[in-house]
Amino acid sequence: LALLGAADRTGMGKQDKGMLQLNDVNFSRFKSASAKTIELGQIHAELYSKIAIMASLDEKAVKALSAGVEAKIDAVAAEFTKMKDVQDRKAMASKVLPTIARYKKAVADAIDMASMDPNTGIASMQTAASEYATLREMLALTVKELEAETTASILASKAANQKVVWATCGTLLLTMA
């Protein structure tokens, strides 16, 4: 009976450790996806304000702005490229990366147009805004999926632990009878 209790305790401990690890991994991914959503929002908002004053910037400032925005977008893309190596995130990353590439191109086009005429640049930002909206939807869906996965795993672990407890109680009752 003592051996059964020790085995049950060991099994439940392993399940709990696995659930905590899963939660940590999913929480890390959740934070990453949320942070990237915020970063993209900041890039997007900053870009609109810069495009409005683009005509007043000299060529050096426009190039610096373009390079800075490109580097920030590339950093976001690099995070999603890392996710392609994670089996359950591969499909999501494969969808997000082309959208980021389209967003980057639309932003570059808008900066180019705005350097000639701010109104044309702002109008050109509509394409970038559309890609940005798509990215936000994808990232929001990813966050919901991670939350659902974590919740389902925790509930499955609790159910498995409950079965072990009932089996132990049943064995104990049979032993005592």
Side-chain angles (χ1 to χ4, degrees), residues 21 27 58 67 88-89 105 123 150 161:
Q21 183 180 10
F27 184 66
D58 64 12
D88 61 339
R89 294 288 144 242
K105 181 182 180 330
T150 302
N161 283 343

Side-chain angles (χ1 to χ4, degrees), residues 103-119:
Y103 177 72
K104 181 178 170 182
K105 181 182 180 330
V107 164
D109 291 346
I111 290 172
D112 186 44
M113 294 292 205
S115 66
M116 293 179 262
D117 176 39
N119 291 329

Side-chain angles (χ1 to χ4, degrees), residues 35-139:
K36 296 307 149 200
T37 300
I38 291 168
E39 281 181 48
L40 283 170
Q42 290 170 337
I43 292 166
H44 198 69
E46 177 185 333
L47 191 56
Y48 262 113
S49 67
K50 296 292 184 185
I51 283 183
I53 62 164
M54 190 73 69
S56 66
L57 300 177
D58 64 12
E59 187 176 332
K60 184 178 177 181
V62 171
K63 285 184 180 182
L65 171 70
S66 182
V69 168
E70 184 176 318
K72 289 176 184 177
I73 294 172
D74 286 344
V76 171
E79 285 297 316
F80 285 99
T81 300
K82 290 179 194 174
M83 287 186 191
K84 284 178 72 173
D85 296 333
V86 179
Q87 185 60 37
D88 61 339
R89 294 288 144 242
K90 190 179 290 188
M92 182 273 303
S94 295
K95 290 178 185 174
V96 169
L97 286 169
T99 308
I100 290 174
R102 288 190 306 272
Y103 177 72
K104 181 178 170 182
K105 181 182 180 330
V107 164
D109 291 346
I111 290 172
D112 186 44
M113 294 292 205
S115 66
M116 293 179 262
D117 176 39
N119 291 329
T120 306
I122 289 174
S124 176
M125 271 299 287
Q126 295 308 306
T127 302
S130 175
E131 294 297 342
Y132 172 70
T134 300
L135 281 170
R136 284 188 54 95
E137 289 172 17
M138 287 178 175
L139 295 176

Side-chain angles (χ1 to χ4, degrees), residues 15-33 83 86 88-89 146-147 149-151 153-154:
Q15 279 185 320
D16 287 343
K17 185 184 278 187
M19 286 296 94
L20 289 173
Q21 183 180 10
L22 173 70
N23 189 46
D24 289 346
V25 168
N26 276 355
F27 184 66
S28 172
R29 291 179 189 156
F30 172 81
K31 286 190 328 187
S32 178
M83 287 186 191
V86 179
D88 61 339
R89 294 288 144 242
L146 289 171
E147 182 181 18
E149 287 173 17
T150 302
T151 300
S153 296
I154 289 171

